[in-house]
Amino acid sequence: MSTFAVLVTAAPFSAHGQQSALNFCSAALAAGHSIEQIFFYQDGVYVGNRLTVPPGREPDPGAQWQQLADTHALELLVCVASALRRGILDSDEALRYKLDADNLRRGFTVSGLGQLTEQIAGADRLMVFG
Amino acid sequence: MVSQPLCLVFNKSRTGIAAREQLDIGLMAAAFGQAVTLVFLGDGVYQLLADQQPEAIGAWDHSKIYAGLDLYDIKELVVEAESLAVRKLAESDLSAPVLVEPAASIRERFKSTQVVIL
């Protein structure tokens, strides 16, 4: 059994990387491998926006991550610098920058690249979904 | 912390923030004491071109940071020889000191490095 670090840089909806990452993580966890954190970086952080409304029965990667995290006690981390640039804020950041709203999805946490580095160092393998 | 040598691969001619965000992964890993190698392939070699003027198109200038990376403990910048050749570029066109290596050696680097980030 292996421990995987997971880095997701693909934007939701306009690329397939989020879906590939979800599929990989579900399969790896089902097979008994260990994943503790998913790190979202660059355009990958857009999945942490709770104000997305995909029409009809289209897949909703944000909700899917939430569900996977609830089931397997995963930490979903968005890089703070990437997120701030792209308008993804939790209530603390909204307060800090005196903005009138926050929009981080439940189950997601604002974090930094140091966390990714530590995750990589502790894993057998890093999987990148860009 | 376990030492995990890391290769960061630049294969697109990105401007501004996108390139900077990619580089930030390497800067953070180096700050944590990991050995970081930057590898420039394909259109990624354009990131190293000297005398860029990104301000002229309203882009943020990150190009000068490559020349100063040894300050951040990133000592190894590797450029694929074939990628330079097909773009009619030479080492002297680049803004930072680099190692120019053939594709075969770069493949060997990837094989022997545990962490490769594209």
Side-chain angles (χ1 to χ4, degrees):
Chain A
M1 292 297 121
S2 302
T3 302
F4 290 101
V6 180
L7 169 63
V8 184
T9 61
F13 307 113
S14 48
H16 194 71
Q18 294 271 348
Q19 217 59 47
S20 300
L22 276 159
N23 294 344
F24 170 82
C25 292
S26 308
L29 289 162
H33 297 291
S34 165
I35 300 173
E36 288 173 2
Q37 294 173 345
I38 315 293
F39 196 88
F40 298 92
Y41 193 56
Q42 298 187 315
D43 285 354
V45 301
Y46 282 125
V47 82
N49 181 0
R50 68 181 164 84
L51 304 177
T52 54
V53 189
R57 289 194 205 142
E58 273 181 29
D60 184 355
Q64 288 172 285
W65 280 120
Q66 237 170 10
Q67 199 177 5
L68 195 70
D70 286 345
T71 312
H72 298 278
L74 300 177
E75 279 187 277
L76 306 175
L77 306 177
V78 296
C79 168
V80 61
S82 289
L84 286 174
R85 277 186 191 114
R86 291 167 176 80
I88 313 292
L89 290 94
D90 68 1
S91 50
D92 286 350
E93 296 300 325
L95 206 61
R96 189 193 322 270
Y97 293 98
K98 301 187 170 49
L99 294 166
D100 60 7
D102 60 79
N103 61 350
L104 189 68
R105 193 182 280 272
R106 183 186 61 77
F108 286 75
T109 311
V110 171
S111 183
L113 276 175
Q115 193 79 33
L116 172 68
T117 308
E118 283 184 15
Q119 197 192 142
I120 292 172
D124 297 310
R125 190 167 280 271
L126 168 71
M127 299 298 291
V128 185
F129 296 90
Chain B
M1 184 181 290
V2 187
S3 177
Q4 289 270 46
L6 181 151
C7 268
L8 206 54
V9 183
F10 296 77
N11 66 349
K12 297 190 187 77
S13 102
R14 288 175 153 156
T15 57
I17 299 305
R20 178 55 206 261
E21 284 187 329
Q22 196 179 10
L23 189 56
D24 278 345
I25 295 179
L27 293 175
M28 182 59 78
F32 273 66
Q34 314 287 19
V36 177
T37 301
L38 309 185
V39 180
F40 297 84
L41 300 173
D43 282 347
V45 302
Y46 287 124
Q47 296 206 26
L48 291 173
L49 270 187
D51 301 325
Q52 296 186 42
Q53 296 169 329
E55 306 89 349
I57 54 163
W60 187 76
D61 187 6
H62 72 286
S63 61
K64 289 176 182 69
I65 198 168
Y66 292 112
L69 282 177
D70 57 336
L71 294 173
Y72 298 92
D73 274 331
I74 297 179
K75 314 263 184 229
E76 222 170 32
L77 278 66
V78 179
V79 177
E80 191 192 58
E82 289 86 339
S83 298
L84 285 180
V86 296
R87 287 167 184 77
K88 304 215 183 313
L89 294 172
E91 195 176 336
S92 56
D93 296 317
L94 307 181
S95 62
V98 298
L99 299 168
V100 177
E101 292 185 0
S105 336
I106 291 177
R107 263 199 303 279
E108 285 308 310
R109 278 180 182 277
F110 290 158
K111 271 193 209 163
S112 61
T113 307
Q114 183 75 11
V115 183
V116 178
I117 301 181
L118 192 66

